[in-house]
Amino acid sequence: MARLARTPGLTDVQTAILETVREFADKEIIPRAQRLEHEDRYPEEILAGMREMGLFGLTISEEYGGLGESLLTYALVVEELSRGWMSVSGIVNTHFIVAYLISQHGSAEQKQRLLPRMATGEVRGAFSMSEPNCGSDVSAITSKALRDGDSYVLNGQKMWLTNGAYSSVVATLVKTDQGADTVYGNMTTFLLEKEPGFGQTAPGLTIPGKIEKMGYKGVETTEMILDGHRVPESAVLGGADQAGRGFYQMMDGIEVGRVNVAARACGISIRAFELAMAYAQQRRTFGKAIAEHQAIAFKLAEMGTKIEAAHALMVNAARLKDSGQRNDVEAGMAKLLASEYCHEIVTDSFRIHGGYGYSKEYEIERLMREAPFLLIGEGTSEIQKTIISRGLLKEYRAR
């Protein structure tokens, strides 16, 4: 396993962070993950350790109390956390996207007020675009914010909020009437602040309850109901003059989110490979370990190769974004390949385990329920192909 998914060119600080997180995953996450996942219980003890390590502020500038690390460092940390349990990485992923949005697009006041508390994990972030009848087609959102003097009144129903209950600030995309020619110029991102918990957590803002899921348990996924929720114009991400810029801000956040979904897929793939390797060397048939049978050995070779390919694409996409370049195509490629390969690798590991893989006593059963989520999270594979093809056609336009 140590030979897989190595990343050349890391600093001593990056290497030390990753070694610490890997040790934490081995000692604190993996031994607890099965029990907590089967109980669908929020991992409070694990989260306390992550706060202590400063992971909630990993990418937040030192000016605001964070560690000021890069997207690459964060993605590699997510890979390690997901190797332990994907739900743990999900808790920090949406938090990270919101911190990134505030860092890149927030007003000075929003940065000063929110980022220091986000860096410690005291304030956690959630991210909301989807609605019951709107997923990939962002232009179809119906939630609205109507101006009323120097404030806005929000109404609508949002869906699929990771950290919906435990968060204190939700970056939320809704429609506003900016008079723009396109629907994308009539969308605004608001930073909605609330109390953590379920029920009415702010006037006109309700988190009804947890959505039951086949996998990705422990971390809560919720709806959010907005019914006359009034916010000042200062709640617009970036301040009042950034109304109408919400779609473009959110797409910037989605690019980093896709890198992190790719990292999650790499982490799960590595864990599935570890489990397959261990089982294939222990299980014996026809007088020898099944790893010595060519059919199994070839599967292991393919699994390892796929992990290396996905990891390399993920690292490239992160480094491009860190350099200040657009990475929509590369992030889409990384997310597409890593999530599809993850599904294949986990399935092959499941097959190597045979009947035992179907037992809840074995970890691979959990991974079989978690891997499919990555095929749809932060945009389906089909959406990634659309983004990639459009980018390539633009780059290679026929003359």
Side-chain angles (χ1 to χ4, degrees):
M1 187 278 298
R3 293 190 58 82
L4 275 179
R6 290 180 294 182
T7 309
L10 297 181
T11 66
D12 290 343
V13 171
Q14 288 173 314
T15 300
I17 289 171
L18 293 177
E19 287 175 353
T20 301
V21 175
R22 172 167 292 202
E23 184 179 354
F24 179 78
D26 285 338
K27 291 183 176 179
E28 304 296 333
I29 300 178
I30 290 174
R32 292 181 166 132
Q34 286 292 93
R35 175 177 55 83
L36 292 173
E37 198 273 348
H38 289 163
E39 294 174 2
D40 197 8
R41 214 170 92 210
Y42 197 75
E44 291 284 6
E45 307 95 331
I46 295 173
L47 266 290
M50 290 165 62
R51 283 184 67 172
E52 207 171 295
M53 287 192 290
L55 294 187
F56 287 95
L58 188 64
T59 60
I60 293 173
S61 167
E62 293 179 9
E63 177 186 356
Y64 300 108
L67 298 179
E69 279 294 327
S70 63
L71 172 59
L72 174 62
T73 307
Y74 184 79
L76 295 173
V77 165
V78 165
E79 187 178 63
E80 295 292 350
L81 292 174
S82 299
R83 175 181 156 266
W85 182 18
M86 185 180 75
S87 293
V88 172
S89 69
I91 292 170
V92 290
N93 187 45
T94 51
H95 175 86
F96 162 72
I97 294 175
V98 176
Y100 173 84
L101 287 172
I102 295 171
S103 297
Q104 294 296 313
H105 305 286
S107 66
E109 184 275 333
Q110 289 166 348
K111 293 176 185 178
Q112 290 286 350
R113 185 166 51 82
L114 293 172
L115 289 179
R117 291 184 294 151
M118 293 184 78
T120 64
E122 175 195 345
V123 166
R124 288 189 224 147
F127 177 84
S128 178
M129 287 200 306
S130 294
E131 297 184 359
N133 295 308
C134 159
S136 299
D137 182 10
V138 180
S139 67
I141 66 173
T142 59
S143 297
K144 292 181 179 178
L146 298 177
R147 236 191 190 299
D148 184 20
D150 59 357
S151 61
Y152 285 90
V153 179
L154 281 69
N155 289 283
Q157 182 180 6
K158 307 300 283 187
M159 195 73 174
W160 307 119
L161 281 74
T162 301
N163 289 336
Y166 285 91
S167 59
S168 301
V169 57
V170 185
T172 307
L173 186 67
V174 299
K175 285 185 174 172
T176 49
D177 184 12
Q178 305 303 127
D181 295 335
T182 70
V183 65
Y184 300 107
N186 289 300
M187 294 185 185
T188 299
T189 299
F190 288 88
L191 298 176
L192 305 184
E193 297 182 52
K194 65 179 188 65
E195 291 297 317
F198 292 99
Q200 188 172 84
T201 56
L205 191 159
T206 301
I207 304 294
K210 228 171 22 173
I211 297 170
E212 297 295 329
K213 311 181 294 288
M214 68 179 279
Y216 199 28
K217 293 177 180 288
V219 58
E220 84 283 11
T221 305
T222 74
E223 298 174 70
M224 180 171 68
I225 310 298
L226 301 169
D227 184 13
H229 180 55
R230 184 179 293 272
V231 294
E233 59 183 10
S234 60
V236 173
L237 177 61
D241 62 347
Q242 291 299 300
R245 295 290 305 163
F247 174 79
Y248 307 102
Q249 294 168 339
M250 284 290 203
M251 289 305 103
D252 186 26
I254 283 291
E255 281 183 17
V256 298
R258 284 176 179 148
V259 171
N260 285 291
V261 171
R264 279 198 259 181
C266 289
I268 291 177
S269 297
I270 291 169
R271 186 58 183 161
F273 178 78
E274 289 174 8
L275 296 171
M277 270 292 195
Y279 187 82
Q281 292 175 79
Q282 293 164 6
R283 173 70 166 161
R284 299 180 65 82
T285 62
F286 305 103
K288 59 183 177 181
I290 63 173
E292 296 177 35
H293 293 292
Q294 191 178 66
I296 301 300
F298 280 10
K299 275 190 190 298
L300 294 171
E302 290 169 0
M303 292 162 73
T305 303
K306 288 173 180 176
I307 289 169
E308 291 289 359
H311 177 83
L313 274 186
M314 180 269 289
V315 167
N316 180 59
R319 282 182 162 149
L320 273 175
K321 191 73 172 177
D322 283 333
S323 72
Q325 299 180 60
R326 279 294 301 273
N327 76 337
D328 53 339
V329 170
E330 291 79 9
M333 287 178 171
K335 195 274 178 186
L336 170 66
L337 193 78
S339 62
E340 292 288 349
Y341 274 179
C342 177
H343 191 259
E344 293 171 15
I345 290 164
V346 169
T347 301
D348 279 343
S349 182
F350 173 77
R351 287 174 168 172
I352 287 169
H353 279 77
Y356 286 105
Y358 208 65
S359 166
K360 285 196 171 186
E361 291 181 29
Y362 279 72
E363 202 175 329
I364 191 63
E365 178 271 340
R366 169 170 60 83
L367 302 188
M368 277 292 289
R369 290 183 288 103
E370 290 178 341
F373 169 76
L374 299 172
L375 298 171
I376 55 175
E378 306 290 7
T380 63
S381 290
E382 290 70 28
I383 285 295
Q384 306 313 316
K385 291 174 186 177
T386 300
I387 293 166
I388 294 163
S389 61
R390 283 176 180 169
L392 294 177
L393 286 167
K394 185 177 178 182
E395 185 73 20
Y396 291 90
R397 184 171 293 158
R399 288 172 172 78

